[in-house]
Amino acid sequence: MGSGVLQGPAQSVSPDLKISVAVPVYNEESVLPDLLRRTLAALDTLPGGPHEIVLVDDGSSERTWQILEQATADDPRIVAVTLSRNFGHQAALGAALDFVTGDVVAVMDGDLQDPPEVIPDLVAKWKEGYQVVYAVRQEREGESWFKKTSAALFYRVIHRITDVKIPVDTGDFRLMDRKVVDVLKTMRERHRFPRGMSAWVGFKQVGVPYDRAARHAGVTKYPFR
Ligand code: UDP
Ligand code: MG
């Protein structure tokens, strides 16, 4: 302060900008090779780097961990963490946020329903000065009527019972500035809901529309219950 110069809203992008992608994975062996290939390709289009992908294996029962171990040996940009058992999607994501080291962090599901190709669009909004950039689904290709209706109802109820404005039609797919991630890391709630928490903490937020793909392979881990 004190210079009298007005500060523009845009982020000053350092030449060694590091982007992290945080991904919880549970029994995603059939998707992992494509997920890693497409995410690395998307990161390659962005300035700075080397960027990183931090994957947390949430106690998978099949070969997810073996594939991740091999991937980390093949490419230093891949970081893999394994949990002692299955703790659930949101806890696994919380663990991933403990390990990321980037200046900006993209959070994404590991089943390719969140297309990695959208990450550069999220980064572009961050460069404009937004600290939370959430991806807003346009379509829900391949999801059942029940899943769409129950998700819509869930968000309607959430809006009724809380003052926190959780954006409709968003999942975890979003980009957060390091400042936001550091605040989330101080919130050690037992039942965490990072997409709600990142709305609650404030900061400058904006949505970016994208088309949500059908699950690439494998099955949803959010069955009826
Ligand atoms: N996931 C996880 N632990 C779980 C269940 C899911 O880490 O116990 C991961 C899963 O591999 C995926 C993401 O969380 O990357 C979202 O899960 P899913 O695709 O099954 O949810 P849906 O898209 O049906 O809401
Ligand atoms: Mg999914």
Side-chain angles (χ1 to χ4, degrees):
M1 293 303 282
S3 68
V5 179
L6 279 177
Q7 196 86 37
Q11 314 278 358
S12 56
V13 180
S14 99
D16 45 63
L17 165 74
K18 180 170 187 178
I19 299 165
S20 300
V21 183
V23 196
V25 284
Y26 178 57
N27 292 346
E28 300 288 4
E29 65 171 12
S30 53
V31 189
L32 268 180
D34 276 349
L35 173 79
L36 295 173
R37 184 181 49 77
R38 283 174 54 184
T39 307
L40 289 169
L43 291 176
D44 280 342
T45 69
L46 293 163
H51 306 301
E52 69 176 2
I53 312 176
V54 175
L55 303 110
V56 171
D57 172 23
D58 187 18
S60 297
S61 52
E62 28 85 311
R63 293 190 63 260
T64 293
W65 180 245
Q66 285 88 320
I67 295 171
L68 287 180
E69 257 189 327
Q70 185 59 50
T72 58
D74 293 344
D75 193 319
R77 293 173 296 175
I78 300 171
V79 177
V81 176
T82 186
L83 303 184
S84 57
R85 65 165 170 86
N86 179 242
F87 284 90
H89 175 191
Q90 300 289 315
L93 173 56
L97 294 182
D98 285 340
F99 283 89
V100 290
T101 59
D103 308 298
V104 244
V105 181
V107 166
M108 184 173 87
D109 282 354
D111 60 358
L112 286 174
Q113 278 196 288
D114 300 338
E117 293 75 18
V118 174
I119 294 172
D121 300 342
L122 305 181
V123 173
K125 278 288 171 201
W126 171 79
K127 284 186 186 158
E128 286 176 24
Y130 294 97
Q131 291 153 311
V132 178
V133 185
Y134 47 89
V136 183
R137 308 184 261 263
Q138 299 288 71
E139 261 165 61
R140 291 193 145 202
E141 197 187 308
E143 284 188 356
S144 68
W145 174 88
F146 179 78
K147 177 84 197 242
K148 288 183 209 176
T149 311
S150 61
L153 189 66
F154 172 79
Y155 283 101
R156 203 146 346 126
V157 170
I158 287 279
H159 279 218
R160 275 288 188 79
I161 61 178
T162 157
D163 288 338
V164 180
K165 294 288 166 269
I166 300 177
V168 186
D169 284 334
T170 62
D172 285 326
F173 194 19
R174 65 193 55 229
L175 186 87
M176 296 182 285
D177 187 270
R178 163 57 54 188
K179 288 193 199 87
V180 181
V181 175
D182 286 343
V183 171
L184 289 186
K185 282 169 67 177
T186 66
M187 299 165 69
R188 310 309 290 185
E189 353 279 284
R190 197 165 111 67
H191 295 289
R192 296 208 239 166
F193 191 51
R195 69 186 79 153
M197 286 152 60
S198 74
W200 180 85
V201 293
F203 295 98
K204 217 178 149 200
Q205 315 218 353
V206 71
V208 169
Y210 77 104
D211 288 327
R212 185 158 167 94
R215 205 170 216 294
H216 194 64
V219 290
T220 177
K221 279 79 185 188
Y222 283 99
F224 182 75
R225 250 188 73 231

